[in-house]
Amino acid sequence: MTDATSSQVPAATPAPARSSLLTQSALMKKRNAAEARFKAYGVAAICVSLSVLAIMLWTIFSDGVSAFKQASLTFPVTLDADALDPKGNRDRAEMMRVTTIGYTKLLNAQLLAHLETRGISTEGVTDKDVAAFISRDTPARLRDMVLESPELLGQTITVSGFATGRIDGYLKGRVTRDTAALDTNISVAQLDLADRMQDEGILTTKFNWGFLTNPDASDQRPEAAGLGVALIGSAYMMALVVVMVLPLGVAASIYLEEFAPRNRWTDLIEVNISNLAAVPSIVYGILGLAIFINFAKFPQSSPLVGALVLTLMTLPTIIIATRAAIRAVPPSIRDAALGVGASKMQTVFHHVLPLAAPGILTGTILGLASALGETAPLLLIGMVAFVANYPAGPLDGGVLDPATALPVQVYSWASRSDPAFIERSAGAIIVLLAFLVTMNIIAIILRRRFERRW
Amino acid sequence: MYDAPNLETRVTQTNTKITARGVQVFYGEKQALQDVDVDILDNTVTAFIGPSGCGKSTFLRCLNRMNDTISNARVEGEILLDGENIYDKRVDPVQLRAKVGMVFQKPNPFPKSIYDNVAYGPKIHGLTRSKAELDEIVESSLRKAALWKEVKDRLGEPGTGLSGGQQQRLCIARAVATAPEVLLMDEPCSALDPIATAQVEELIDELRASFSVVIVTHSMQQAARVSQKTAFFHLGNLVEYGDTSHIFTNPSDPRTESYITGRIG
Ligand SMILES: Nc1ncnc2c1ncn2[C@@H]1O[C@H](COP(=O)(O)OP(=O)(O)OP(=O)(O)O)[C@@H](O)[C@H]1O
Ligand SMILES: [Mg+2]
């Protein structure tokens, strides 16, 4: 730009005829054209990225939103005391002997009976086909409920449980009559029955809180799989990462920026920090496996180990961001503080840190966001395991219990064969995105609050 | 050519506040100051003049050890404040800076309220025991800096929201609030308009009653107006030091003469 301006000056000055300002010179036209072209490139680049983003969001949402809804069967069940408590003494140990199979039989029979009383024809489908409507999750839940409160025995209660994945898929449009014809797990006649049951209000779709609260479920019952354990695992890890990475990162940055002498050692540290920020995250996973699990013998798959690995991984990023924020504080502020006789510590804590806080916060939240979405290192420390039990509360050593994390759950669901898990995978991505957006909003709010003029 | 120093700015006090002997400053390998010997008097305004890059700021920053904050700066020689060497190992520069305040070339108020700007020094040095005392110090400091009238109704507003001249006076108030014995000012008026400059100059003259003031300036008129003693630096040497009236009317070194008549610089 400057070159163009200076080359125009000699052209304009010795010009024989006085050039009019109302007509553009050839050079000016060229420069304006270049500018217009550059703007067009920029707009095009933004359009491309926006449309890619839009496509991505659209696919995720169109696949994933349905994970938040779930087909469920609602019908009355008479809890037959003879079948569920053969000894009749309401003794928990005795009742435990009736396995879920006993409950499955009961539910199957009761569903058939209910269809009959409602006058819904089961033409063309066997009793087994009707039984296949009920998720394996339902008998297990019913059993837990009865064991918990044996006084229910003999009563008639309304049971509302998940329908199986194929029926759920049919209600959501994932399964059609065409695909059912090719599928050994479901028949067209079953779909017809599903239509009739839906008309009668036995089969309905509801918002599925279980998707957010349930633990993961086995391959046979995708309908019961939820993000509960992954959410707790991610929450534990994020909390631990914040608690570890902020003090470490800020202390290291302050020391390096404000106190450390400039010598070969600090140069070496500086180079290493930049390099560490560029190390692929899976390397941190191997490191975590070697140090925290094999050497320090921390429990595998535990949020504590995950958090330690993620802390190591985000530390360089946070140190770099924090140092940049500290360096951006005008030196005149430091001079001013030192000039009135503040000590180095006072200068840093009263003046430099408050001014650097917005930058530090932004860096930290960005680091946390990348840690939240990190999968590879967690795979190596065993957080991809199938975990069906919730970890304990944070004060009961829950950080040492096995857990998974949101991105790992996305990964493991995406690699299962049943298409119902793909839907859940997309749903989990939505939850992950919601978390990231929330974190960014918090970052923006905090930044606004801390930001000051100087 | 310049205002002749009037009678009332004649040197009246003669006890020495700061004694510098053989001060040398190096930035890395480069020597910025050579063998500076100077006696700065109490209750006196001393002006440092000289062409750009001659080491005025460097020497000024030696007097409150602000050079310590520059990693590659090294100071040799001896600087005594009331007979005590400020470069002695036992001296804590933080404590020294409470006694030797500084006002910088560019106004640099803290991004805090006007009140907090002035109150900060007294607070960290524990000069007050109550809020009332602190209020009093803030008010008197702002009065001394001729800023009280303009800001008394908005002490809670940010100091950075003031005009450049007001900011500089706020910085002066901030320096004054810690009750220093020496006040160092590095081109305090370079960012100010003539009216604000006049106010600051008046202020400097008043401050002389309580402290020893050292001011770096590029304006001969200013040096002549406010100071009683003048030191002329050139290429890292203290060329000439003496009564302002003497330096401006009858310089003994030809370099001084050519500088004040505008031939070098
Ligand atoms: N931080 C530094 N590192 C290296 N050299 C420096 C540093 N500060 C100053 N110098 C050098 O020391 C010499 C004296 O600088 P100084 O700032 O004291 O000059 P000055 O007289 O205040 O000039 P001016 O009137 O322009 O402010 C200059 O040659 C300058 O380049
Ligand atoms: Mg200077």
Side-chain angles (χ1 to χ4, degrees):
Chain A
M1 285 309 288
T2 35
D3 285 351
T5 333
S6 54
S7 61
Q8 196 202 12
V9 173
T13 350
R18 206 177 140 275
S19 67
S20 162
L21 272 180
L22 299 178
T23 53
Q24 283 192 355
S25 69
L27 183 60
M28 196 65 219
K29 273 191 192 128
K30 234 169 103 185
R31 281 160 54 194
N32 285 343
E35 204 166 305
R37 266 200 310 278
F38 180 75
K39 276 189 202 156
Y41 294 149
V43 170
I46 288 175
C47 287
V48 169
S49 10
L50 277 185
S51 50
V52 170
L53 182 70
I55 292 171
M56 191 188 83
L57 286 180
W58 187 77
T59 41
I60 288 172
F61 276 84
S62 60
D63 285 355
V65 166
S66 55
F68 292 91
K69 290 205 302 195
Q70 193 71 42
S72 54
L73 289 165
T74 312
F75 56 97
V77 172
T78 306
L79 296 169
D80 181 1
D82 293 341
L84 302 181
D85 185 18
K87 291 262 165 66
N89 55 10
R90 302 294 187 264
D91 178 31
R92 195 179 155 90
E94 288 294 334
M95 286 164 66
M96 294 271 273
R97 292 184 175 212
V98 181
T99 59
T100 44
I101 299 176
Y103 286 84
T104 312
K105 280 185 189 149
L106 178 82
L107 282 169
N108 293 350
Q110 300 265 335
L111 178 59
L112 277 170
H114 184 62
L115 291 182
E116 205 169 299
T117 45
R118 294 287 285 271
I120 299 170
S121 124
T122 52
E123 235 182 85
V125 287
T126 62
D127 289 358
K128 231 179 117 195
D129 287 343
V130 176
F133 271 57
I134 303 171
S135 163
R136 291 175 193 215
D137 182 56
T138 315
R141 270 171 201 276
L142 186 65
R143 179 168 179 265
D144 289 346
M145 199 164 99
V146 171
L147 289 177
E148 195 64 28
S149 36
E151 68 275 8
L152 289 174
L153 282 178
Q155 296 183 21
T156 302
I157 58 168
T158 305
V159 169
S160 182
F162 294 135
T164 43
R166 292 294 195 283
I167 300 297
D168 178 49
Y170 174 60
L171 262 54
K172 290 173 184 167
R174 191 173 64 235
V175 174
T176 62
R177 283 187 163 66
D178 297 337
T179 60
L182 304 170
D183 190 341
T184 51
N185 288 319
I186 190 110
S187 67
V188 176
Q190 278 177 309
L191 299 186
D192 293 336
L193 177 60
D195 283 340
R196 290 194 292 276
M197 282 164 73
Q198 212 179 353
D199 292 341
E200 290 292 326
I202 299 173
L203 187 59
T204 49
T205 45
K206 294 187 196 165
F207 186 80
N208 181 16
W209 284 109
F211 180 59
L212 294 177
T213 57
N214 286 350
D216 195 6
S218 61
D219 283 359
Q220 284 81 41
R221 37 193 192 98
E223 61 278 359
L227 286 170
V229 173
L231 279 173
I232 295 175
S234 277
Y236 281 0
M237 283 199 291
M238 285 305 109
L240 285 174
V241 170
V242 173
V243 168
M244 292 189 284
V245 90
L246 251 190
L248 279 178
V250 172
S253 313
I254 291 177
Y255 178 74
L256 286 174
E257 257 332 289
E258 301 281 344
F259 294 94
R262 292 257 162 269
N263 58 27
R264 214 180 303 164
W265 291 110
T266 44
D267 284 350
L268 192 72
I269 290 174
E270 199 150 316
V271 170
N272 274 316
I273 289 174
S274 319
N275 284 340
L276 283 177
V279 166
S281 59
I282 196 149
V283 175
Y284 287 98
I286 295 173
L287 184 79
L289 182 65
I291 295 180
F292 301 126
I293 294 180
N294 292 344
F295 178 72
K297 305 285 182 219
F298 286 142
Q300 261 193 30
S301 318
S302 64
L304 176 67
V305 175
L308 286 169
V309 169
L310 294 180
T311 300
L312 287 184
M313 193 198 84
T314 37
L315 197 53
T317 327
I318 291 194
I319 291 180
I320 290 172
T322 305
R323 291 184 67 181
I326 291 176
R327 221 172 302 147
V329 175
S332 65
I333 297 290
R334 292 184 185 84
D335 284 349
L338 293 173
V340 294
S343 69
K344 196 95 196 211
M345 272 273 286
Q346 288 172 324
T347 305
V348 170
F349 282 91
H350 296 165
H351 303 287
V352 177
L353 266 194
L355 291 178
I360 296 176
L361 266 176
T362 316
T364 306
I365 300 235
L366 286 181
L368 284 183
S370 74
L372 180 64
E374 199 52 69
T375 326
L378 301 183
L379 298 183
L380 284 176
I381 57 157
M383 292 199 82
V384 73
F386 175 80
V387 182
N389 294 320
Y390 296 108
L395 298 178
D396 307 326
V399 293
L400 295 172
D401 290 344
T404 52
L406 280 175
V408 176
Q409 195 69 72
V410 171
Y411 166 81
S412 75
W413 280 345
S415 55
R416 295 200 197 169
S417 54
D418 193 321
F421 277 114
I422 305 298
E423 165 199 279
R424 268 155 207 275
S425 199
I429 293 176
I430 295 178
V431 174
L432 188 58
L433 286 180
F435 261 75
L436 292 176
V437 169
T438 314
M439 280 169 73
N440 281 333
I441 289 174
I442 292 173
I444 291 169
I445 291 172
L446 287 177
R447 199 162 59 206
R448 287 256 167 85
R449 178 153 308 169
F450 279 109
E451 208 145 62
R452 290 181 223 188
R453 288 176 300 147
W454 63 72
Chain B
M1 184 165 180
Y2 300 112
D3 299 349
N6 37 21
L7 279 172
E8 64 191 21
T9 60
R10 210 161 20 105
V11 182
T12 48
Q13 271 281 357
T14 46
N15 21 344
T16 310
K17 188 72 189 167
I18 296 177
T19 314
R21 288 293 173 267
V23 175
Q24 317 226 26
V25 181
F26 301 85
Y27 289 113
E29 290 300 300
K30 208 181 98 200
Q31 185 160 13
L33 272 186
Q34 289 125 24
D35 277 326
V36 175
D37 294 348
V38 72
D39 289 314
I40 290 164
L41 305 181
D42 208 359
N43 300 99
T44 304
V45 178
T46 307
F48 290 174
I49 59 170
S52 193
C54 65
K56 307 178 294 291
S57 300
T58 301
F59 185 63
L60 196 73
R61 293 164 63 90
C62 289
L63 300 181
N64 66 347
R65 292 188 59 175
M66 279 299 275
N67 280 335
D68 292 13
T69 64
I70 299 169
S71 58
N72 66 348
R74 188 159 50 86
V75 179
E76 283 174 10
E78 209 172 46
I79 297 178
L80 308 177
L81 175 69
D82 290 330
E84 293 172 332
N85 186 359
I86 63 171
Y87 281 89
D88 191 289
K89 284 213 164 48
R90 286 164 296 177
V91 171
D92 190 328
V94 171
Q95 220 173 332
L96 168 73
R97 287 180 203 134
K99 279 190 172 190
V100 184
M102 187 155 197
V103 175
F104 298 83
Q105 175 170 4
K106 228 178 85 197
N108 55 357
F110 299 129
K112 298 178 189 283
S113 71
I114 294 172
Y115 183 93
D116 287 341
N117 261 284
V118 184
Y120 183 70
K123 260 191 217 158
I124 57 170
H125 296 302
L127 296 183
T128 59
R129 269 159 293 136
S130 65
K131 174 92 170 70
E133 265 181 85
L134 193 59
D135 287 349
E136 209 172 299
I137 291 192
V138 170
E139 177 174 343
S140 68
S141 306
L142 285 169
R143 277 189 198 283
K144 278 185 202 152
L147 191 61
W148 176 250
K149 277 200 209 96
E150 288 152 76
V151 300
K152 66 170 184 284
D153 298 322
R154 46 178 179 143
L155 292 175
E157 283 175 31
T160 39
L162 298 172
S163 77
Q166 288 172 325
Q167 285 187 18
Q168 191 61 301
R169 279 178 283 152
L170 179 61
C171 293
I172 294 173
R174 183 177 66 191
V176 168
T178 55
E181 295 167 16
V182 180
L183 190 59
L184 310 177
M185 302 174 123
D186 196 347
E187 300 180 41
C189 300
S190 62
L192 305 189
D193 67 73
I195 295 168
T197 303
Q199 281 170 332
V200 171
E201 284 177 4
E202 207 171 302
L203 174 64
I204 292 170
D205 201 54
E206 283 164 22
L207 294 178
R208 179 162 74 94
S210 358
F211 333 107
S212 165
V213 180
V214 183
I215 174 171
V216 171
T217 177
H218 276 288
S219 154
M220 298 310 126
Q221 295 95 321
Q222 186 170 56
R225 279 194 301 266
V226 300
S227 72
Q228 292 83 49
K229 287 279 193 178
T230 297
F232 171 66
F233 288 80
H234 187 237
L235 300 177
N237 294 301
L238 176 62
V239 174
E240 194 166 352
Y241 175 61
D243 286 355
T244 302
S245 48
H246 185 256
I247 295 245
F248 278 98
T249 51
N250 193 9
S252 30
D253 195 286
R255 285 171 291 177
T256 316
E257 192 185 354
S258 34
Y259 180 68
I260 59 178
T261 53
R263 264 181 279 138
I264 57 172

